[in-house]
Amino acid sequence: MINSAKIVRAVSILCGSLITIGVVSFLYGYFGSGYGVLTGVGIGIVMGAVFIFIMGIFLVATEEVVTKDKKTKYHNKEEAHV
């Protein structure tokens, strides 16, 4: 559980900073400068950050389900031997 909380915190900090950088570069590219490439880079950074966040949450959820399943199987084996 503690390990999962660390992973969620790290993913949140990473993705939050990437989304901030992406939004700033998108807004600067769209409104501030004449370069359309910077707008696409900003959109790409935001999409990448969202993808990393979803994968991180999926990793934590999968880990929790596997850990819970292992504990349940272990307790069921103990009850069967008693």
Side-chain angles (χ1 to χ4, degrees):
M1 183 69 180
I2 295 171
N3 193 18
S4 298
K6 288 181 181 180
I7 292 173
V8 169
R9 184 172 178 203
V11 167
S12 298
I13 291 171
L14 173 70
C15 293
S17 61
L18 282 176
I19 286 176
T20 303
I21 291 168
V23 167
V24 168
S25 64
F26 170 76
L27 292 174
Y28 180 71
Y30 193 72
F31 295 115
S33 72
Y35 297 113
V37 175
L38 197 56
T39 304
V41 170
I43 292 171
I45 291 173
V46 170
M47 286 174 50
V50 170
F51 180 73
I52 291 170
F53 182 75
I54 290 171
M55 291 303 293
I57 297 299
F58 179 75
L59 175 70
V60 170
T62 304
E63 182 182 3
E64 291 291 327
V65 168
V66 168
T67 305
K68 192 175 193 179
D69 189 43
K70 284 182 181 179
K71 286 181 182 179
T72 304
K73 285 183 180 179
Y74 178 72
H75 288 300
N76 288 342
K77 286 183 181 180
E78 283 184 351
E79 291 173 1
H81 291 299
V82 173

